[in-house]
Amino acid sequence: MTVIVEQPELESEVVEKKVDVEENELVLDGGFEVPDTNAFGQTFRDYNAESERQLSVEQFYRTNHINQTYDFVKKMREEYGVLKRVEMSIWESCELLNEFIDESDPDLDEPQIEHLLQSAEAVRKDYPNEDWLHLTALIHDLGKVLLHPSFGSLPQWAVVGDTFPVGCAFDESIVHHKYFKENPDYNNPAYNTKYGVYSEGCGLENVMMSWGHDDYMYLVCKENKCTLPPVGLFIIRFHSFYALHRAGAYKYLMNEEDIENLKWLKIFNKYDLYSKSKVRIDIEEVKPYYLSLIKKYFPEKLKW
């Protein structure tokens, strides 16, 4: 693995128990059973529940909401979009995630590779013929390698957490919305209106999202010419965009392709969110299957 270390300069709720699929949407429910509680015995995505993680998660979002500005995102996309830091395989990036726990997640405190395999195996069980979706589940969080020293050790607030558009008004459905009042864009007339720098129906592909692992992994897949279907890339880029796929915010920015892709994202989200548990996956047992999928859809080595 070739490693180039660069240190970038950085600027210093709705609770649901199940995913509802509308009648006119593509129904792909293979019988996945949604658990009543998360790994801590509490309701999923309850950011107000008193727990040992509640205060640290809230502090995470305060820092995130203050610093995720339009200019910051533009800078990060330009800096990280060149993909000149590391050359490694998909599985090597999976193994890097063993070192990290997501500070924004109130539902799980296991290493990230556990979550990737839990999600992928849950999807695989219900939809055995949709191998692209199995692989999408496995790799959807791989952008969290941004936390690693090889990628500049970005702080958690610039890597994980719910994502949202920048360059337009921050919707009130975004978790801990109150902290956006300290964001420089909050009072900037160029960015604080409903549409901001965008237009109705412009398409989510043209919207800048808060910087983090979602957008980074999307860029990695796109620039390395992976052959996952476009909907797979849509899921990777927007799987943390809860304001859209859970609260229905920002739909006025979507085009027709986004509307179709959103149906799949809502399906995937169930496996992303509710598969988090203390049940461990035997990595060596499932590894050959996922290596075969990686070979099918990706080059042997990727630029990161």
Side-chain angles (χ1 to χ4, degrees):
M1 181 171 71
T2 303
V3 177
I4 302 174
V5 178
E6 295 184 18
Q7 181 64 49
E9 295 180 4
L10 294 174
E11 304 170 16
S12 6
E13 306 68 65
V14 179
V15 178
E16 300 179 56
K17 289 191 176 180
K18 63 174 68 176
V19 176
D20 294 322
V21 180
E22 296 177 7
E23 223 176 286
N24 61 347
E25 289 186 347
L26 179 63
V27 178
L28 289 175
D29 190 346
F32 178 77
E33 294 184 7
V34 176
D36 293 327
T37 59
N38 63 19
F40 302 104
Q42 297 164 342
T43 305
F44 283 89
R45 285 182 60 82
D46 187 348
Y47 290 92
N48 296 312
E50 293 186 8
S51 71
E52 59 188 48
R53 301 205 68 196
Q54 189 270 332
L55 291 178
S56 63
V57 170
E58 182 167 350
Q59 181 56 44
F60 162 87
Y61 275 107
R62 179 178 184 276
T63 307
N64 172 279
H65 291 353
I66 291 172
N67 289 284
Q68 289 279 1
T69 65
Y70 186 84
D71 288 343
F72 171 74
V73 172
K74 184 177 180 181
K75 174 187 173 184
M76 290 293 100
R77 282 195 123 229
E78 290 172 352
E79 185 172 342
Y80 280 86
V82 295
L83 305 180
K84 292 183 177 179
R85 283 172 170 73
V86 175
E87 288 188 7
M88 64 181 175
S89 69
I90 289 290
W91 194 261
E92 286 175 318
S93 65
C94 288
E95 292 177 334
L96 279 185
L97 294 191
N98 267 329
E99 303 176 27
F100 305 111
I101 293 173
D102 187 337
E103 291 179 0
S104 72
D105 193 341
D107 297 324
L108 192 66
D109 62 356
E110 297 290 344
Q112 287 299 296
I113 195 169
E114 294 289 333
H115 167 54
L116 297 181
L117 288 170
Q118 287 171 349
S119 299
E121 284 295 283
V123 172
R124 181 184 175 190
K125 179 181 178 182
D126 281 359
Y127 310 117
N129 298 321
E130 306 290 344
D131 70 352
W132 67 269
L133 193 56
H134 310 168
L135 184 57
T136 297
L138 178 74
I139 71 171
H140 75 282
D141 274 348
L142 289 190
K144 291 179 182 180
V145 295
L146 290 172
L147 297 167
H148 196 273
S150 301
F151 296 81
S153 298
L154 290 185
Q156 292 246 353
W157 65 260
V159 179
V160 300
D162 287 13
T163 59
F164 44 85
V166 294
C168 60
F170 302 114
D171 191 84
E172 291 186 0
S173 65
I174 302 170
V175 63
H176 292 306
H177 175 272
K178 60 186 176 183
Y179 294 119
F180 283 119
K181 293 180 180 179
E182 301 177 63
N183 184 304
D185 291 354
Y186 188 82
N187 293 311
N188 186 333
Y191 303 137
N192 66 3
T193 63
K194 178 179 179 179
Y195 294 104
V197 300
Y198 310 112
S199 60
E200 185 171 5
C202 64
L204 295 181
E205 182 180 359
N206 300 307
V207 173
M208 286 226 294
M209 301 294 293
S210 53
W211 177 251
H213 71 280
D214 310 60
D215 207 24
Y216 178 61
M217 191 60 199
Y218 164 76
L219 293 175
V220 169
C221 291
K222 188 175 180 181
E223 296 305 316
N224 282 281
K225 303 187 185 315
C226 84
T227 56
L228 283 173
V231 65
L233 300 187
F234 183 92
I235 289 171
I236 289 168
R237 189 176 186 219
F238 299 111
H239 70 270
S240 301
F241 190 5
Y242 280 87
L244 171 67
H245 58 74
R246 305 295 285 184
Y250 299 105
K251 285 188 174 181
Y252 46 82
L253 298 176
M254 298 170 64
N255 59 25
E256 290 185 5
E257 183 178 3
D258 295 330
I259 293 171
E260 290 303 308
N261 288 340
L262 181 60
K263 298 171 184 177
W264 282 93
L265 177 55
K266 287 184 175 181
I267 293 165
F268 169 82
N269 177 251
K270 179 171 66 170
Y271 298 91
D272 182 17
L273 178 60
Y274 298 115
S275 64
K276 299 172 185 177
S277 72
K278 294 292 186 180
V279 177
R280 309 300 290 267
I281 302 294
D282 186 332
I283 296 176
E284 292 306 313
E285 181 180 343
V286 301
K287 182 177 178 180
Y289 173 70
Y290 290 104
L291 287 177
S292 71
L293 296 188
I294 291 168
K295 184 177 181 180
K296 178 178 179 180
Y297 289 102
F298 281 93
E300 183 178 352
K301 293 284 185 178
L302 283 70
K303 294 179 180 180
W304 298 75

